[in-house]
Amino acid sequence: MRLTKTVGEYLLGFGALQQVDRLLPKSTRQSGERVYLIDHFFYDGSLLPRLPLLKKDRVLYIDTTDEPTTEQVDAITAQLRSDAPPQAILGIGGGSTMDIAKAVSNLLSNGGSAADYQGWDLVKVPGVFKVGVPTISGTGAEASRTCVMMNHAENLKLGMNSDHTLFDRVILDPELTATVPRNQYFFTGMDTYIHCIESLAGRYRHALADAFSHQALAVCREIFLSGNMQSDEYREKLMIASFLGGSAIGNSLVGLIHPFSAGLSMVLHTHHCVGNCIVLNAMDEFYPREVEEFRRMQESQRVALPRGLCQGLADSQYRALYEATIIHEKPLANALGDDFRSILTFDKVAEIFRRM
Ligand code: NAD
Ligand code: ZN
């Protein structure tokens, strides 16, 4: 039985970002030394009037064209180490920016490089006080105890799984997701749906995680089977579903979809959320009801999936996809049992990838 920690304090509602000062440690309200890591979509400065910027505060825009790497986290940490250490870090963006904020916060207090902490419970001391502010909903990064990074030297995609990775506080302001492009909104939102179906279909279960997952799924169904998934009401609801999904996953494990999607990401550089949707669409034999429901949601929202991603690849690429998938033993065993390799042979895995 594991002692469970979740994000305990959060502010929810339209315009919540304007009250960010309430969530920051009192000691920083006059002196500053807060670092705002903001997704590059907001590079035009449109968010700055809503932030209580002080003289010593720093703003860095995060390039999220590609998903976070250990090198990128190390470079940002080095930049911040070269100056007075910040007293608080705010990650304002999607899963990529929030994960970078979590990783940088841990590194500033623990020393070393990002790759040293990829794994389970390797972070020794709490990071710098950190606040998460999602600007797109679905990954649950605002609520989870991990921050995912690609490590190209080791050919793996893995997070710092630790209680110290949790944000201290979170701001859920649905105003911030109004500008998300339609397809991206759907793909990232579906990450919540996928976390929950994988968790509920697994062997490693936890009653509270199940309750979070059931509720998050009910909200996802309401949103994605509706006529307008991006209405004000549904944007607020999706923020809550994402938070619940992220809280669920801290006490459970994903299943088959995330390992295959990690394979796509390592070998073909496919982004996490669209990759998950592509994989789910090829998983009829493992998640039949969910695949059927996913396709109905996709039709309701008129969102098309990229096709033909894995057709006609070289043998070496199918081999690389297999290796980058099968390495994720925990979730694969959660889905299929310890003997998962007898089901997921190379031929079987390659056949599934060919369907994408
Ligand atoms: P993202 O952060 O990668 O951003 C995707 C795109 O959306 C970017 O182009 C970004 O500029 C844009 N964007 C963000 N907010 C916007 C807004 N308000 N308006 C317009 N554009 C906006 O997206 P994501 O799908 O949220 O995150 C994916 C990342 O999250 C992956 O790196 C994945 O590994 C990680 N992840 C983390 C966890 C976790 O628990 N830590 C869980 C799942 C996924
Ligand atoms: Zn995910």
Side-chain angles (χ1 to χ4, degrees), residues 39-193:
D39 184 282
H40 66 169
F41 173 77
F42 300 100
Y43 189 69
D44 62 1
S46 54
L47 280 190
L48 299 185
R50 303 191 216 173
L51 301 175
L53 288 176
L54 296 172
K55 221 172 165 187
K56 287 188 185 166
D57 288 343
R58 278 171 281 173
V59 174
L60 298 184
Y61 288 99
I62 304 296
D63 185 346
T64 54
T65 312
D66 297 314
E67 294 191 336
T69 62
T70 48
E71 291 93 336
Q72 185 184 14
V73 167
D74 287 339
I76 296 169
T77 309
Q79 195 177 341
L80 296 179
R81 274 187 188 137
S82 67
D83 219 332
Q87 295 180 33
I89 293 189
L90 291 92
I92 307 178
S96 298
T97 306
M98 289 191 283
D99 278 359
I100 288 176
K102 291 164 152 191
V104 168
S105 147
N106 283 345
L107 278 185
L108 284 170
S109 334
N110 284 269
S113 314
D116 302 339
Y117 301 98
Q118 283 183 297
W120 277 266
D121 301 311
L122 302 171
V123 183
K124 296 284 176 268
V125 296
V128 171
F129 189 91
K130 45 185 167 291
V131 179
V133 187
T135 64
I136 176 170
S137 303
T139 65
E142 64 278 16
S144 73
R145 63 191 293 281
T146 192
C147 51
V148 186
M149 295 162 295
M150 302 216 264
N151 180 335
H152 289 295
E154 299 289 333
N155 196 28
L156 63 84
K157 186 179 183 187
L158 189 62
M160 296 180 184
N161 297 273
S162 161
D163 283 349
H164 297 311
T165 304
L166 278 166
F167 281 115
D168 294 284
R169 288 178 181 162
V170 163
I171 294 180
L172 301 174
D173 181 350
E175 231 165 63
L176 297 173
T177 64
T179 46
V180 178
R182 195 175 170 77
N183 281 12
Q184 182 73 56
Y185 182 91
F186 180 82
F187 296 141
T188 298
M190 273 296 131
D191 202 23
T192 294
Y193 178 84

Side-chain angles (χ1 to χ4, degrees), residues 6 17 80 190 200 212:
T6 51
L17 182 63
L80 296 179
M190 273 296 131
L200 288 171
F212 283 143

